[in-house]
Amino acid sequence: MQFNGISQSYTRGQALPELLKQRILILDGAMGTMIQQYKLTEADYRGLPGNTRFAEHPGDIKGNNELLVLTQPQIISKIHEQYLDAGADIIETNTFGATSVAQEDYKMAGLAREMNEVSAKLARAACEKYSTSDKPRFAAGAIGPTPKTASISPDVNDPGARNVSFDTLRASYREQIEGLFAGGVDLFLVETIFDTLNAKAALFALDEFFEETGERLPVMISGTVTDASGRILSGQTVEAFWNSLRHIKPLTFGLNCALGAALMRPYIAELARICDAAISCYPNAGLPNPMSDTGFDETPDITSSLVDGFAKDGLVNLVGGCCGTTPDHIRAIANAVAKRKPRAFYRENSVVAA
């Protein structure tokens, strides 16, 4: 298979490159936003009364959404199915924080491997339920940034201090990758990147996994611009961000979260100009508003109209939603971009190759 001018023999998700050429694909929306609607208690997170496995676990675990694949799997499955019913081609596993590094906050680091495998199985089962011959569905293994940063000091008085090392991140991500693969994901999504060094640890772990196993799955990369300067938190512009990770030859490259679609547009336009990969964009439903039911103000009509503007101008290949988005947002986005053509992303069309 020739993709982006480079031979890619994917062992899973083989149909994705061609589908991205044919139409704009749809990613799901926010898992956390949907979980919030259930207003789960501490007992609910522990799975009580039906599941007593974590009844005696020390400390509060409310808010550990990744644990719900073990204690409330029916909720996670239902959310997956709601997004698939809304038109999502790709759904993300509920594993954004399912690394040993992140789970240490809840004293559950030892559960990371299990969380990832079970979460992948739930997402894969939902995809199989909704897949048809003309609309296959795909499960993306979600790999989040962790709460720690490898290139920024947590101590304003000590610029050289770090709260995590590259090797610790790499090992944690490798464990997550193995669990996601065992559970059946079709591709990997390294997302909401605010520190490029963290992302490099995840991508290094993926490269090691592919080399050692002989498997080769599509990789999606998505960063987050944190302010109006157009930079990610560790200081890179989107152009520098792309150039520091392009050697991975990702299937898609783009932005998510943070600013919302309206403020994200110039940065998506810049990536569309320079990248020879497919471009992804899944923004928040505007800027945060704690008074809103979802924590964000934008209605499905507003968000879909903004995302459709990207599609109309030929900037994107894959779109969806991040924080504050719901199945209604995804349905509106899917309906809006159905009439649009995907951005040409072949190497011969790239500014870089010119």
Side-chain angles (χ1 to χ4, degrees):
M1 177 185 298
Q2 291 291 319
F3 178 61
N4 282 1
I6 296 165
S7 178
Q8 293 278 16
S9 300
Y10 291 135
T11 52
R12 294 183 187 174
Q14 297 95 331
L16 281 166
E18 189 61 36
L19 288 172
L20 283 164
K21 295 175 186 178
Q22 295 172 3
R23 60 185 175 87
I24 296 174
L25 297 188
I26 306 300
L27 187 68
D28 62 1
M31 175 64 72
T33 297
M34 295 299 290
I35 290 173
Q36 289 172 14
Q37 310 309 307
Y38 285 86
K39 302 187 186 306
L40 301 176
T41 66
E42 176 73 21
D44 293 328
Y45 272 88
R46 292 174 185 265
L48 302 173
N51 183 342
T52 59
R53 178 180 177 184
F54 303 105
E56 303 302 323
H57 185 81
D60 293 338
I61 57 176
K62 182 180 177 181
N64 188 0
N65 288 346
E66 290 73 22
L67 180 64
L68 295 175
V69 301
L70 305 180
T71 58
Q72 302 285 351
Q74 75 286 352
I75 291 177
I76 304 304
S77 292
K78 183 175 180 180
I79 294 170
H80 284 324
E81 292 184 11
Q82 287 176 292
Y83 280 123
L84 290 165
D85 186 67
D89 297 289
I90 302 171
I91 58 171
E92 298 183 52
T93 56
N94 182 40
T95 53
F96 185 83
T99 55
S100 57
V101 169
Q103 286 297 314
E104 188 57 44
D105 288 350
Y106 296 100
K107 299 180 174 61
M108 289 186 163
L111 295 173
R113 174 64 163 73
E114 181 184 3
M115 286 178 176
N116 283 280
E117 183 168 351
V118 172
S119 188
K121 288 179 177 178
L122 292 176
R124 186 64 249 160
C127 287
E128 290 173 3
K129 181 176 178 178
Y130 278 81
S131 287
T132 62
S133 58
D134 62 337
K135 191 175 175 65
R137 312 300 181 99
F138 303 90
I143 299 174
T146 83
K148 299 184 183 296
T149 172
S151 63
I152 301 174
S153 173
D155 183 356
V156 295
N157 297 312
D158 184 1
R162 296 292 183 269
N163 57 13
V164 71
S165 70
F166 182 91
D167 284 341
T168 297
L169 286 169
R170 179 185 61 81
S172 180
Y173 281 129
R174 176 60 184 264
E175 179 183 42
Q176 180 174 42
I177 290 160
E178 290 176 351
L180 289 169
F181 182 82
V185 297
D186 302 293
L187 64 152
F188 293 102
L189 170 55
V190 182
E191 65 171 342
T192 321
I193 298 164
F194 61 81
D195 185 338
T196 307
L197 191 55
N198 285 40
K200 283 179 176 288
L203 295 166
F204 187 84
L206 274 169
D207 197 48
E208 280 188 322
F209 176 78
F210 291 153
E211 183 174 351
E212 292 172 16
T213 63
E215 300 287 346
R216 180 69 58 175
L217 277 63
V219 175
M220 297 167 57
I221 298 175
S222 185
T224 182
V225 172
T226 54
D227 59 44
S229 71
R231 298 173 183 267
I232 66 172
L233 188 63
S234 55
Q236 287 183 312
T237 63
V238 293
E239 181 177 8
F241 179 55
W242 158 248
N243 283 314
S244 66
L245 298 179
R246 60 181 300 190
H247 65 282
I248 299 298
K249 301 178 179 64
L251 177 65
T252 71
F253 195 91
L255 300 173
N256 72 290
C257 199
L259 302 177
L263 296 176
M264 193 183 286
R265 183 183 174 92
Y267 313 120
I268 289 294
E270 177 67 2
L271 289 177
R273 184 183 69 83
I274 64 175
C275 291
D276 55 8
I279 296 296
S280 67
C281 178
Y282 53 111
N284 290 347
L287 295 174
N289 176 7
M291 302 302 292
S292 169
D293 288 342
T294 63
F296 293 80
D297 278 335
E298 284 184 4
T299 64
D301 286 345
I302 295 172
T303 303
S304 63
S305 176
L306 290 167
V307 172
D308 185 43
F310 297 175
K312 179 182 178 182
D313 292 340
L315 302 179
V316 290
N317 302 96
L318 181 145
V319 294
C322 202
C323 305
T325 59
T326 66
D328 288 339
H329 288 78
I330 298 307
R331 182 174 287 104
I333 289 170
N335 290 338
V337 304
K339 60 184 179 293
R340 307 298 184 190
K341 292 182 179 181
R343 165 185 168 273
F345 60 94
Y346 317 109
R347 185 172 294 275
E348 61 266 30
N349 293 324
S350 171
V351 171
V352 176

